Amino acid sequence: MIKRPKHFALLMLPLLICCRGALLYSEEQPSDAEIRILSEKIEAKYKNSVYTVNAYTKLKGDTDDKQIKNKTRWCRNVGTAFPIDEQGHLITFLCVVKKAEKVVVVSRSGDESHAEIVGTDKTEKIAILKIMKPFLFTPPPISKWNSIHPGNKVILLGVHPENEHLVTQGVISKIHDSDGAVLVSIPGNPGTAGTPVFDSAEKLLGILAFHVKDKFLPEGEISGENNFYVVIPMEYASVIAYSIINNEQTQSGWLGISIPFIEGDNNGDKGVKIQSVAENSPAAQCGLQPHDMIIEYNGFPVSTPKEMITAVASTKSGDTVPIKVIRQDSILQFKATLISRPLSK
């Protein structure tokens, strides 16, 4: 139900190695009684905004049964989605809707709505859906990265595959500084991928990505009564989400690079480091490489991830933009012709 993408295994190993021993509490945390009251408060406020995602893919393959052969057969993948704005946009984890040919979302009351896949981000593993009916909804405030610490308690508003809603409590176990992934320890079932995660200040901390199984934990470490899940921080995911939404509305361009989430995680250098370059992307075609440090985009200096994402979003598909980078102490100039963000099918 919650799928763990294969390529995350190597990513998570260095993150998990540091998870042994007692959790370090960075600040005084709410008591169990206070957390129960807070859980009820968050559930009452946001329960009607948590949607079950049913993503359908046509089954392929031949069969000798003529009655079955002449019928369209569908495989259903189930996840969770949460509003990102008041215009009908929902955020979920990419694996929920990847390769889906039809997506239907179900509200807590059982109302079904067809959802369009507006766009996806293969690197950051999020997807944005849209339903035609606008929300009567004010998005919650988002947790700032510097407020997320190991030991902090969290509340998850998940859904069961049969649209049964779940409220689960957990605790942050570890934060992976190189990509911002947050590891959360949760007793029981927190729901499906895309589940919103709130902190004890009633702010949206992130969305649930996938379950980390025992075999991917360090040798000798077992989850025991608790399960470990990766959560994508919302402060970063929302920037990507708004970039996707902006692309839908203005046809802003797509460069095809991934960059660090944490501002200042660039070895003290000025600029934004490229972590990876998508195959056949404008970045790859113009010659950009991983570890290049972008210092200027379209004539404007960039020094933080948000500045870089905003700069790319301000340019349109078809635009040719100059990009200045530092590579091995040399300053190089490139020109990339942007394209529309491709869907991850």
Side-chain angles (χ1 to χ4, degrees):
M1 182 168 58
I2 297 180
K3 296 183 178 180
R4 178 191 53 78
K6 294 180 181 178
H7 67 277
F8 269 83
L10 293 177
L11 168 70
M12 290 308 304
L13 282 176
L15 184 157
L16 296 169
I17 289 171
C18 300
C19 292
R20 298 183 184 219
L23 295 172
L24 299 177
Y25 285 78
S26 59
E27 57 188 39
E28 185 176 351
Q29 292 296 299
S31 66
D32 290 344
E34 289 171 329
I35 281 291
R36 283 195 297 271
I37 294 172
L38 182 60
S39 299
E40 293 172 358
K41 184 177 180 181
I42 290 175
E43 181 185 19
K45 192 170 185 178
Y46 296 111
K47 63 183 179 182
N48 294 324
S49 301
V50 178
Y51 288 77
T52 300
V53 180
N54 296 304
Y56 298 94
T57 306
K58 289 181 182 178
L59 289 175
K60 297 179 180 179
D62 296 329
T63 176
D64 294 330
D65 191 321
K66 292 183 179 180
Q67 288 185 334
I68 296 177
K69 190 173 184 178
N70 294 329
K71 292 183 178 180
T72 301
R73 295 178 297 153
W74 297 89
C75 174
R76 182 179 72 132
N77 194 29
V78 183
T80 306
F82 193 74
I84 194 76
D85 59 21
E86 300 91 342
Q87 282 74 53
H89 292 105
L90 299 161
I91 187 169
T92 188
F93 191 55
L94 176 58
C95 75
V96 175
V97 298
K98 190 173 183 180
K99 298 184 179 180
E101 298 171 70
K102 182 174 67 173
V103 180
V104 176
V105 298
V106 185
S107 68
R108 186 183 180 92
S109 62
D111 294 334
E112 294 188 0
S113 299
H114 170 77
E116 171 192 0
I117 302 176
V118 171
T120 61
D121 190 288
K122 291 181 67 175
T123 304
E124 307 309 332
K125 308 303 172 191
I126 66 172
I128 300 300
L129 311 178
K130 186 176 183 181
I131 60 177
M132 296 306 296
K133 184 179 179 181
F135 304 114
L136 296 174
F137 173 79
T138 301
I142 293 172
S143 298
K144 296 295 183 182
W145 174 252
N146 58 12
S147 71
I148 301 174
H149 302 287
N152 287 2
K153 295 183 179 180
V154 296
I155 295 99
L156 301 90
L157 296 186
V159 294
H160 187 272
E162 302 307 321
N163 203 34
E164 174 188 348
H165 280 61
L166 306 168
V167 182
T168 315
Q169 296 148 21
V171 62
I172 296 175
S173 298
K174 179 66 181 176
I175 300 170
H176 193 199
D177 290 341
S178 65
D179 58 21
V182 176
L183 191 71
V184 175
S185 174
I186 306 165
N189 180 9
T192 52
T195 289
V197 182
F198 294 83
D199 65 15
S200 58
E202 300 181 51
K203 295 180 179 179
L204 185 59
L205 184 144
I207 61 170
L208 194 74
F210 59 89
H211 177 219
V212 183
K213 296 182 179 179
D214 284 350
K215 65 179 181 179
F216 293 102
L217 293 172
E219 185 177 354
E221 183 81 48
I222 57 174
S223 59
E225 295 181 357
N226 289 0
N227 295 301
F228 290 103
Y229 289 83
V230 171
V231 172
I232 303 173
M234 201 63 194
E235 186 177 20
Y236 187 45
S238 63
V239 176
I240 303 296
Y242 292 133
S243 175
I244 293 173
I245 293 168
N246 186 61
N247 181 75
E248 173 207 20
Q249 296 170 341
T250 66
Q251 290 302 300
S252 62
W254 180 70
L255 182 59
I257 63 171
S258 67
I259 57 179
F261 159 52
I262 302 171
E263 296 185 5
D265 186 29
N266 291 313
N267 298 326
D269 295 321
K270 181 181 179 181
V272 177
K273 183 186 293 184
I274 298 177
Q275 285 186 318
S276 64
V277 177
E279 186 178 356
N280 299 322
S281 66
Q285 292 175 0
C286 81
L288 292 174
Q289 298 178 5
H291 307 300
D292 284 349
M293 188 77 68
I294 299 177
I295 56 175
E296 193 173 290
Y297 180 87
N298 201 27
F300 297 95
V302 291
S303 58
T304 69
K306 287 184 180 180
E307 286 180 358
M308 185 64 202
I309 293 169
T310 301
V312 175
S314 68
T315 48
K316 291 183 168 44
S317 175
D319 288 352
T320 298
V321 297
I323 303 171
K324 185 183 293 186
V325 308
I326 297 175
R327 180 186 296 172
Q328 297 179 346
D329 298 325
S330 297
I331 296 179
L332 305 177
Q333 295 268 9
F334 298 90
K335 287 188 177 181
T337 301
L338 306 182
I339 63 175
S340 297
R341 180 184 291 272
L343 287 177
S344 299
K345 291 291 188 180

